[in-house]
Amino acid sequence: MKNINKLIWILLACFLLIQFFRPENINDGKPTQDLVNVPKDVNTILRNSCFDCHSSEANLRWYDKITPANFLVNSHIKEGREAFDFSKWNSWPKPQQNSTIYYAINKVLSGEMPIPSYASVHSSAKLNEHQIEILKNYALSLSPRKVSDSSQINSAEKQYNSWVNGELKHQTVKPSPNGLQYIPDYRNWKAISTTDRFDNGTMRIIFGNDIAIKAIQEKHTNPWPDGTSFAKTAWKQRVNNDGSIATGEFIQVELMVKDAKKYEKTKGWAWGRWKGNNLKPYGETPDFDKECIECHKPMENRDYVFTSPLYLISQLKKIQK
């Protein structure tokens, strides 16, 4: 019994001693203002569930300040701010504000945010169905859809048929400034996902080559195997009279090609984008892909791929039926 008591006192002494070792103060002393031009109820939800990790104002509880938990909490907050920081909201152009809302709400809908481990300890961050519905309705209001006129519909259908038949590639397509070659055969790959970008009125269709499809089926997607290739086509949304959404004018196609060794300097991926009907390569210099990497940085722990493998698998099964 004496030995047990002695051990307890030693552990208590160690615990008290380590309290003198603390991380830097995560708050800069400037309260984060409500987001401008955002409804009050949406502001309240974001402040309670997101601001602790995604703004300059972290509302730390007493148990968040205890060593060694405070080091872990600070690390999570820094990572959250790097992904996006609502404190900078008023300095962002409207498209960036909308895209941030789009990204944040999709993380909520997928169950990734708030981080489950964080929400289990900070109950106020949990979102109920009513709060999620408020966020969804606000997101949809950012880009109200207008029914396309008949000339737009006819033009879009004609262009889409040209794309399907490969007629958009009416001349030799130049490689991306970083040397990545355009892959016209991506149209023959399997469509593995779609995204409806309410923030900018576009629709995205994502295709994967055979290696990507096999990786999805075998759940070997983190990291993705070398040879994996994705193509993401972007189209303006076409709104039909019945309210359904279809592809409109072709905007661009983006490629991601995996080779961990060859593309080591760019996180294991080669990135490229070709815009418009003439498929003009995007970028002025070979290092243009820094902005691609920066955009995909929040997905670092998923090999820089936004689309969730589980979601891809479910979509793939639907497509194959």
Side-chain angles (χ1 to χ4, degrees):
M1 181 63 69
K2 290 183 179 180
N3 290 335
I4 294 177
N5 290 336
K6 184 177 180 180
L7 178 60
I8 292 174
W9 280 108
I10 291 174
L11 292 175
L12 180 59
C14 291
F15 176 76
L16 294 174
L17 180 62
I18 65 174
Q19 299 312 306
F20 290 97
F21 298 91
R22 296 180 172 274
E24 61 180 311
N25 185 10
I26 203 68
N27 285 323
D28 59 11
K30 298 178 181 179
T32 299
Q33 303 299 316
D34 282 348
L35 309 185
V36 174
N37 298 323
V38 174
K40 184 177 180 180
D41 54 354
V42 174
N43 259 304
T44 299
I45 294 171
L46 294 177
R47 180 174 290 279
N48 291 339
S49 297
C50 306
F51 275 30
D52 279 356
C53 293
H54 296 284
S55 80
S56 61
E57 183 183 11
N59 181 23
L60 300 178
R61 284 67 167 178
W62 65 268
Y63 45 82
D64 293 324
K65 302 176 182 179
I66 297 176
T67 304
N70 47 16
F71 283 92
L72 181 62
V73 170
N74 275 32
S75 176
H76 284 170
I77 291 175
K78 287 181 178 179
E79 291 177 3
R81 289 175 181 173
E82 287 180 3
F84 60 90
D85 186 347
F86 280 121
S87 303
K88 302 176 181 178
W89 176 270
N90 294 340
S91 66
W92 294 339
K94 186 64 175 178
Q96 185 175 356
Q97 292 179 349
N98 289 355
S99 63
T100 300
I101 290 292
Y102 171 87
Y103 174 76
I105 292 179
N106 272 278
K107 287 297 182 183
V108 170
L109 295 177
S110 67
E112 297 177 59
M113 291 290 170
I115 297 175
S117 59
Y118 178 85
S120 64
V121 180
H122 303 80
S123 58
S124 62
K126 294 180 180 178
L127 292 168
N128 57 41
E129 291 299 323
H130 177 63
Q131 291 172 317
I132 292 175
E133 194 64 25
I134 289 175
L135 293 179
K136 287 170 62 177
N137 289 335
Y138 170 65
L140 292 173
S141 73
L142 295 176
S143 182
R145 291 170 171 147
K146 299 180 180 179
V147 176
S148 305
D149 59 38
S150 58
S151 62
Q152 290 175 316
I153 293 175
N154 292 334
S155 175
E157 289 181 346
K158 181 178 179 181
Q159 190 191 55
Y160 183 77
N161 289 330
S162 296
W163 175 82
V164 170
N165 296 324
E167 296 170 7
L168 283 182
K169 183 181 177 299
H170 56 270
Q171 60 183 13
T172 301
V173 179
K174 294 182 180 179
S176 180
N178 58 6
L180 182 64
Q181 296 290 333
Y182 174 73
I183 307 175
D185 289 340
Y186 78 83
R187 294 184 309 279
N188 299 319
W189 298 351
K190 288 186 177 180
I192 55 179
S193 182
T194 62
T195 56
D196 175 5
R197 289 293 299 271
F198 60 77
D199 58 303
N200 56 21
T202 62
M203 176 178 288
R204 314 295 177 95
I205 304 176
I206 302 171
F207 300 84
N209 67 355
D210 290 342
I211 296 176
I213 299 302
K214 183 179 179 181
I216 292 169
Q217 292 172 331
E218 297 178 351
K219 299 183 180 180
H220 293 158
T221 58
N222 195 12
W224 293 84
D226 284 355
T228 295
S229 296
F230 297 113
K232 180 172 68 176
T233 55
W235 311 75
K236 288 185 178 179
Q237 291 180 354
R238 186 185 85 208
V239 183
N240 299 320
N241 290 325
D242 61 0
S244 61
I245 306 299
T247 53
E249 179 185 347
F250 178 81
I251 300 174
Q252 64 184 26
V253 58
E254 300 176 6
L255 292 176
M256 283 179 65
V257 178
K258 180 67 182 290
D259 189 317
K261 186 175 181 180
K262 183 177 181 179
Y263 304 124
E264 182 180 3
K265 293 183 178 179
T266 52
K267 309 303 181 182
W269 295 90
W271 320 71
R273 181 187 303 169
W274 289 262
K275 301 177 70 69
N277 289 343
N278 60 354
L279 297 172
K280 180 181 178 181
Y282 174 82
E284 300 296 330
T285 59
D287 64 351
F288 81 95
D289 46 19
K290 287 182 179 178
E291 61 186 83
C292 302
I293 298 170
E294 187 64 26
C295 179
H296 285 253
K297 189 176 181 179
M299 295 295 104
E300 181 178 1
N301 293 332
R302 292 189 176 182
D303 202 12
Y304 297 91
V305 176
F306 272 102
T307 312
S308 170
L310 290 176
Y311 177 72
L312 293 179
I313 292 170
S314 64
Q315 291 296 314
L316 181 58
K317 289 180 180 178
K318 292 178 181 178
I319 293 169
Q320 291 176 331
K321 286 182 179 179

